[in-house]
Amino acid sequence: MRIPRARAASRPRPPARRSDRGLRSAEGTGVVSGEEPTMPTDPPSSVHGEAFLRRLVDTLPVRIAYVDSTRRFRFVNHLLCERFGLPPEAILGRTRSELTSGSSDALIERHVDLVLAGQPQTFEFEELVDGKRCTTETRLVPDVDEAGHTRGFFATSLDSTEFSAAQRSLQRQSATLRSVTEAVPAIIFVVDTELRVRFVNGAFERWRGLAQEQIIGRTLQEVLGDEDYLRTRVWMQRALAGESVQFDREERGRSAAHLSNTYIPLRSDEGRVDGFVGVAQDITMHRLEQVRLLNLAERDPLTGLLNRAGFDERMAGMLSLRSRPPVALLFIDLDRFKPVNDQYGHPVGDQLLQRVADRLQNLVRPSDAVARLGGDEFAIVLSGMRERPHALAVAEKVLAAVCRPFELGAVTVEIGASVGVAWGRDDAAEICKRADAALYEAKRAGRGVVRCAPDALPRGMSDD
């Protein structure tokens, strides 16, 4: 069978020389012994057009061939010649089995059978090339004449070894991550920027009583329900704004009474927020035990905050975690509290201390600690403070919270506060000493201000 070609290309060609091997496709690769040069498609009418097309297929990073109905190569480009390590004239007119010494892969032959039956084929196979195992992605397209008979097929092959290896590596990583998320005793989910669920583990399915196929692709509002969604929406919004957030909340009507939740933003390669990962742990037993122990000896009976003993214990526990960043300590002293006690009596003063304690507690994370050290003195310990501005922002919030009027029954009072801030990693007593000195400077500055201990900056933090 002969594939039509332009008449202008029918001139005799000189025999190929070995030095011409690299250009043979451009000069007339489709040569079969006993036949005129052929092309798999109709070339341009000019010799220049045919030469251009041949140069084009030789520069493409794809192996290209035309094989006739007897499975013999009738056209090959430069890359396919390189695959076999032979010049075009040693390939044309021969079958793949002949070129591979009779070891033609049975998988390939099955696909060739199908394409010669008129069915296009796309498949991958592995082969040894120069002693290395390579993966090749191949596409076979039947060449059908006007009568509907398949007279051969076009073949394109691409070395997909690196891509296939990367794909297998990704699949292994995905399987590993799936195994890890199933083994971790936590509820795990991933959402996109529209809060549509992209991934959940088995714990999430059991928590919501839904199968994975009932969850993936739906919004968190649909999965959680309006009530639970609205209770956590503010934290979701902060995560989508790029902030890692942590909060505890009480579950209603489910097996876990208390969950500790962490939302961690996901970012694209360009740095844009692409959703977030949510991790929730059942801390019910921990919370109950914590409450029991704290109520025994470490709580201030008036405010419910940590007392001095509880503060010391919590501070020591935070500093014992060497791998964590420094803690930030805020010493807070109420301004104009004594006149309230003198004017309205101790019951109103006690009520004021309770309201101050509530406001301070609402400013911090569950991992932080708030204590009443005695009288009108309070302290806040912020865990894992990687950056100085975060602690200073909390200190400013303390001033703003305390300065708002307090409505205590029929009495409305206004007070203020001064705050001293210090950081540290090791010695609790030294950190307290520096925070106390900073508080003293805040009071000297006229009260209602924040002062930082000048020698309290953790390594890597700037003073600006």
Side-chain angles (χ1 to χ4, degrees), residues 10-31:
S10 61
R11 293 177 299 177
R13 300 180 183 272
R17 297 188 303 275
R18 178 170 297 273
S19 60
D20 294 335
R21 182 183 304 174
L23 299 173
R24 191 59 188 270
S25 286
E27 295 298 321
T29 318
V31 177

Side-chain angles (χ1 to χ4, degrees), residues 102-134:
S103 60
S104 187
D105 195 298
L107 169 68
I108 298 175
E109 294 302 319
R110 287 197 299 272
H111 286 288
V112 171
D113 290 340
L114 293 172
V115 73
L116 288 176
Q119 302 176 33
Q121 300 292 300
T122 300
F123 60 98
E124 282 188 351
F125 67 95
E126 291 188 348
E127 59 181 345
L128 286 175
V129 179
D130 296 330
K132 297 180 181 179
R133 186 162 293 277
C134 300

Side-chain angles (χ1 to χ4, degrees), residues 393-459:
V394 175
E396 294 293 343
K397 290 179 181 179
V398 167
L399 294 184
V402 175
C403 286
R404 295 200 311 269
F406 292 86
E407 295 184 2
L408 310 173
V411 177
T412 299
V413 300
E414 294 185 12
I415 59 173
S418 300
V419 182
V421 184
W423 283 268
R425 296 177 185 272
D426 303 311
D427 190 339
E430 181 62 26
I431 299 171
C432 290
K433 181 179 177 181
R434 294 200 302 264
D436 191 56
L439 176 61
Y440 177 75
E441 291 298 325
K443 286 185 161 298
R444 284 187 58 190
R447 304 175 185 272
V449 296
V450 176
R451 287 291 181 267
C452 296
D455 60 340
L457 298 179
R459 185 175 300 174

Side-chain angles (χ1 to χ4, degrees), residues 243-408:
E243 178 183 358
S244 293
V245 296
Q246 182 181 13
F247 63 98
D248 290 355
R249 70 187 183 96
E250 183 178 355
E251 288 291 291
R252 299 172 184 172
R254 297 192 181 275
S255 57
H258 293 277
L259 289 177
S260 176
N261 300 270
T262 302
Y263 293 167
I264 305 169
L266 288 173
R267 296 187 181 276
S268 65
D269 293 339
E270 295 77 22
R272 295 191 301 270
V273 175
D274 193 31
F276 66 84
V277 178
V279 180
Q281 293 180 291
D282 181 358
I283 60 169
T284 304
M285 297 304 298
H286 174 72
R287 175 63 64 85
L288 293 176
E289 181 65 11
Q290 183 184 51
V291 170
R292 186 185 73 83
L293 293 174
L294 288 176
N295 286 338
L296 285 176
E298 298 182 351
R299 289 286 170 181
D300 173 46
L302 177 63
T303 62
L305 299 178
L306 294 172
N307 57 17
R308 170 67 73 171
F311 166 77
D312 291 341
E313 182 68 23
R314 189 68 176 275
M315 186 85 163
M318 290 183 180
L319 293 175
S320 68
L321 303 174
R322 299 290 183 179
S323 61
R324 299 191 65 177
V327 299
L329 174 60
L330 282 62
F331 270 0
I332 305 160
D333 190 68
L334 301 185
D335 300 333
R336 301 187 298 278
F337 173 74
K338 189 175 182 300
V340 174
N341 247 353
D342 293 343
Q343 182 176 355
Y344 300 107
H346 289 290
V348 172
D350 289 348
Q351 189 177 359
L352 176 58
L353 291 174
Q354 291 171 337
R355 297 290 296 280
V356 170
D358 290 340
R359 291 187 183 182
L360 295 181
Q361 191 72 62
N362 288 333
L363 293 177
V364 300
R365 305 164 298 177
S367 58
D368 302 327
V370 182
R372 181 188 174 212
L373 303 181
D376 60 354
E377 297 178 357
F378 294 81
I380 295 177
V381 187
L382 302 173
S383 64
M385 280 290 103
R386 295 184 181 277
E387 298 183 10
R388 180 175 185 251
H390 293 169
L392 295 180
V394 175
E396 294 293 343
K397 290 179 181 179
V398 167
L399 294 184
V402 175
C403 286
R404 295 200 311 269
F406 292 86
E407 295 184 2
L408 310 173

